[in-house]
Amino acid sequence: MKIRSSEIVISAVNKSQYPNEGIPEIAMVGRSNVGKSSTINTLLNRRNFARVSQTPGKTRTINFYLINKEFFFVDLPGYGYAKISKSEKEKWGAIMERYLKDRNELCAIFLLVDIRHEPTSDDVLMYEWIKHFGYDCVVIATKSDKISRGNYQKHISIIRKKLNMDKNEKVIPISSLKKTGVEDVWNEIISTYNKNGYEITVE
């Protein structure tokens, strides 16, 4: 996939701030420090495009990144940071629900988990939330360079079992350090947009 342009359009909190051009979206979500920003940067071949929050768990905006002027990556707020208060968690929930509910442009949600560890209870809840709102879910297993390739299937099986994933849903290992898995993720992104009736230019 050739990235001709990438730009942040808006960091939104309220629904009124969401882009309304009817451009298709794929959202990415995961717990704080799972490597979401690094994954987005790796997919776009940009070093510091998606920035890591200096205060984990405090980012409460939804970032809309316009790619090739054709589609959006939507960077959803991270969850699961132990030090945030109950009121902060409630704010996160309200922002997420506002976005996920009746967002016609949203084609699928990619849930990021750390391949080295069993998904947390927050990951399970997020997966169940994605399914509740009727979206397809692809799991991106980050930091795959931290384990041997021979152990991929063992760890993927643990992820699938813990999340109780549907048989047809995919788990894609990716490494921002070694740039592995990037093509697999892009193939899934393009396939998802095509399935939803959108034509994405592939070069």
Side-chain angles (χ1 to χ4, degrees):
M1 181 72 181
K2 185 175 181 180
I3 306 302
R4 301 184 305 279
S5 64
S6 53
E7 59 184 299
I8 183 162
V9 172
I10 193 167
S11 294
V13 175
N14 299 314
K15 196 170 184 177
S16 61
Q17 297 172 308
Y18 299 166
N20 58 6
E21 296 92 340
I23 295 174
E25 300 168 1
I26 279 181
M28 298 195 180
V29 67
R31 60 186 177 79
S32 299
N33 299 330
V34 75
K36 184 154 49 72
S37 295
S38 296
T39 297
I40 292 171
N41 289 334
T42 299
L43 289 171
L44 299 178
N45 199 26
R46 300 264 312 259
R47 182 166 290 183
N48 293 311
F49 180 64
R51 294 190 175 275
V52 179
S53 170
Q54 296 303 305
T55 311
K58 285 291 186 183
T59 303
R60 289 293 170 266
T61 59
I62 297 175
N63 299 319
F64 289 83
Y65 301 122
L66 181 61
I67 314 302
N68 290 352
K69 301 192 183 303
E70 287 188 299
F71 58 92
F72 281 109
F73 278 170
V74 182
D75 184 6
L76 298 175
Y79 56 81
Y81 190 62
K83 292 183 180 179
I84 68 169
S85 66
K86 183 179 177 182
S87 63
E88 285 290 331
K89 287 181 181 178
E90 288 171 354
K91 284 181 193 173
W92 177 89
I95 290 168
M96 292 289 287
E97 185 167 358
R98 197 155 47 231
Y99 173 70
L100 294 176
K101 192 175 181 181
D102 304 322
R103 182 64 179 164
N104 293 331
E105 292 84 354
L106 181 57
C107 296
I109 301 171
F110 284 31
L111 174 62
L112 278 67
V113 300
D114 188 326
I115 197 170
R116 299 172 296 176
H117 308 300
E118 182 180 88
T120 67
S121 57
D122 287 323
D123 293 324
V124 173
L125 186 62
M126 189 70 241
Y127 175 81
E128 290 173 349
W129 218 6
I130 292 167
K131 304 302 289 182
H132 169 75
F133 282 103
Y135 295 106
D136 291 333
C137 182
V138 175
V139 172
I140 297 179
T142 65
K143 307 183 183 183
S144 64
D145 55 282
K146 304 297 185 184
I147 64 172
S148 67
R149 191 173 284 271
N151 280 323
Y152 277 13
Q153 285 310 313
K154 173 187 169 186
H155 286 259
I156 287 171
S157 294
I158 290 169
I159 291 167
R160 297 190 73 90
K161 185 175 180 181
K162 181 68 176 181
L163 295 178
N164 194 24
M165 293 180 68
D166 294 343
K167 283 191 296 185
N168 60 327
E169 291 178 324
K170 295 182 180 178
V171 179
I172 305 174
I174 192 171
S175 166
S176 295
L177 183 66
K178 295 188 175 179
K179 314 295 188 219
T180 54
V182 172
E183 187 175 347
D184 292 334
V185 174
W186 270 118
N187 287 340
E188 190 61 29
I189 289 168
I190 293 161
S191 171
T192 297
Y193 281 132
N194 289 343
K195 250 189 334 187
N196 284 271
Y198 296 102
E199 283 283 333
I200 301 298
T201 304
V202 181
E203 296 179 18

